């Protein structure tokens, strides 16, 4: 053994295990997460709306709302069309329409006063039975005129519709009848056919049938009533005359102090209805 080995430092180093060289174990590497694409609020909204997720209840509500909206749109369009004629009317036409409305109101007021007068006469008459018979006979004549079972005469108008193109239809003539009734017509006759409460008009080829009686152009109306009310009612803006003229028909309206309505209707007895008075 050499002298160097006998030194205490060398002997201690020889007895100790050799130092393990190398570095400490590396920590387990954690994979880095790559940042995903950023989603904006608008994209999230689109993803929530599409594809749509519709339930049955939502579908029913949507259909109902659509129907409601469509109905409102049709109503607004209808009101706009009906108001367009008045919106574009002249001042004298508007005044004439207002006068016609005032005349209708006055006629209703006169009818009300007449009924009240009849009631007062019945209540104050010494012979109520005789007064009732007189009023009944007078009422029978009035109802006979309205029912078309008796002839009538009085002031009124005549209206002739010349339809060379064959474009006039039954509903147009019916509009004329209704307008005349609203203006106070008491008796109407069209081409020899008496118009009553139950009259109906239908198309029959290129002509028109009134209560099953076929009539051909020109259509001649004989109307008893106040001429000052009847004629303006036909000539209001968007009324009967303008409608017929749009169909290329020629309309002639004239006033007369004496109109004779002599076409009669047979009195029809009801099959089932009976008077309930005792």
């Amino acid at each position: 053994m050499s002298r160097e080995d006998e030194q205490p430092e060398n002997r201690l180093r020889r007895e100790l295990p050799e130092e393990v060289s190398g570095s400490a174990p590396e920590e387990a590497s954690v994979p880095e997460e790559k940042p995903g694409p950023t989603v904006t609020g608008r994209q999230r909204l689109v993803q929530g709306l599409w594809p749509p997720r519709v339930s049955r209840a939502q579908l029913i509500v949507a259909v109902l709302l659509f129907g409601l909206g469509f109905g409102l749109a049709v109503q607004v369009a209808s009101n706009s069309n009906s108001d367009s004629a008045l919106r574009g009317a002249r001042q004298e036409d508007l005044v004439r329409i207002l006068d016609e409305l005032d005349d209708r109101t006055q006629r209703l007021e006169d009818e009300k006063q007449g009924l009240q007068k009849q009631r007062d006469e019945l209540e104050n008459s010494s012979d109520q039975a005789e007064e009732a018979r007189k009023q009944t006979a007078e009422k029978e004549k009035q109802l006979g005129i309205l029912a078309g079972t008796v002839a009538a005469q009085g002031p009124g108008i005549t209206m002739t519709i010349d339809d060379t193109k064959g474009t006039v239809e039954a509903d147009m003539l019916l509009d004329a009848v209704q307008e005349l009734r609203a203006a106070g017509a008491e008796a109407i006759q069209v081409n020899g056919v008496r118009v009553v409460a139950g009259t109906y008009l239908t198309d029959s080829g290129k002509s028109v049938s009134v209560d099953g009686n076929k009539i051909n152009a020109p259509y001649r109306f004989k109307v008893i009533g106040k001429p000052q009310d009847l004629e303006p009612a036909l000539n209001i803006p968007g009324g009967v005359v303008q409608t017929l003229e749009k169909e290329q028909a020629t309309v002639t309206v004239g006033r007369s102090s004496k109109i004779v309505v002599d076409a009669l209707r047979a009195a029809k007895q009801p099959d089932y209805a009976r008077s309930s008075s005792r």
Side-chain angles (χ1 to χ4, degrees):
M1 180 180 297
S2 64
R3 188 180 298 267
E4 293 179 357
D5 295 337
E6 293 179 353
Q7 292 181 0
E9 295 177 357
N10 295 332
R11 188 173 57 252
L12 181 60
R13 179 175 301 174
R14 188 174 56 251
E15 293 177 355
L16 289 177
E18 295 182 359
E19 294 179 359
V20 179
S21 62
S23 60
E26 297 181 357
E27 296 181 356
S29 61
V30 179
E32 297 181 357
E33 295 182 358
K34 297 181 179 181
T38 305
V39 181
T40 64
R42 179 177 299 178
Q43 291 174 338
R44 287 197 297 270
L45 178 61
V46 172
Q47 292 174 0
L49 295 178
W50 190 264
R53 302 174 182 85
V54 181
S55 64
R56 180 178 297 181
Q58 292 173 335
L59 182 61
I60 294 175
V61 172
V63 171
L64 293 176
L65 291 176
F66 174 77
L68 178 61
F70 181 77
L72 291 175
V74 171
Q75 183 67 26
V76 170
S78 176
N79 293 337
S80 300
N81 292 335
S82 61
D83 294 341
S84 60
L86 295 178
R87 194 177 295 113
R90 298 174 300 176
Q91 182 177 1
E92 52 267 27
D93 293 331
L94 296 175
V95 172
R96 185 168 56 186
I97 294 173
L98 290 176
D99 291 341
E100 181 185 352
L101 293 176
D102 292 339
D103 292 338
R104 292 183 182 180
T105 303
Q106 186 61 43
R107 287 197 303 270
L108 293 175
E109 185 65 28
D110 294 342
E111 183 178 356
K112 174 184 175 182
Q113 293 179 358
L115 294 174
Q116 291 176 346
K117 182 179 179 181
Q118 291 180 5
R119 182 196 61 187
D120 295 339
E121 290 175 351
L122 285 173
E123 292 177 349
N124 300 327
S125 175
S126 58
D127 189 353
Q128 293 186 355
E130 180 63 25
E131 183 64 28
R133 280 192 293 269
K134 288 172 56 178
Q135 292 190 11
T136 300
E138 184 65 27
K139 195 68 175 178
E140 183 180 3
K141 293 180 181 178
Q142 297 175 2
L143 293 177
I145 293 175
L146 297 177
T149 57
V150 298
Q153 66 177 18
I157 65 169
T158 59
M159 180 174 65
T160 303
I161 303 173
D162 193 3
D163 180 26
T164 58
K165 303 291 185 180
T167 56
V168 176
E169 299 178 350
D171 59 340
M172 301 176 188
L173 299 183
L174 180 60
D175 289 341
V177 171
Q178 292 176 339
E179 190 64 45
L180 290 169
R181 284 174 173 170
E186 298 175 351
I188 304 175
Q189 177 176 318
V190 183
N191 286 32
V193 180
R194 189 71 169 267
V195 177
V196 294
T199 293
Y200 62 93
L201 290 86
T202 58
D203 292 317
S204 180
K206 291 188 176 181
S207 59
V208 176
S209 292
V210 181
D211 291 336
N213 301 297
K214 186 176 181 179
I215 61 176
N216 298 312
Y219 305 108
R220 296 183 176 88
F221 284 70
K222 298 169 70 175
V223 187
I224 295 177
K226 188 177 180 181
Q228 294 83 355
D229 295 338
L230 298 176
E231 183 182 3
L234 298 173
N235 288 291
I236 61 175
V240 173
V241 173
Q242 284 192 2
T243 301
L244 292 171
E245 288 178 347
K246 287 181 180 179
E247 299 297 331
Q248 299 181 353
T250 303
V251 184
T252 304
V253 181
R255 301 183 184 185
S256 177
S257 58
K258 183 179 179 181
I259 299 292
V260 178
V261 175
D262 52 4
L264 302 180
R265 302 289 292 264
K268 183 179 180 180
Q269 296 295 331
D271 296 329
Y272 305 100
R274 297 292 182 268
S275 175
S276 61
S277 60
R278 297 182 179 179

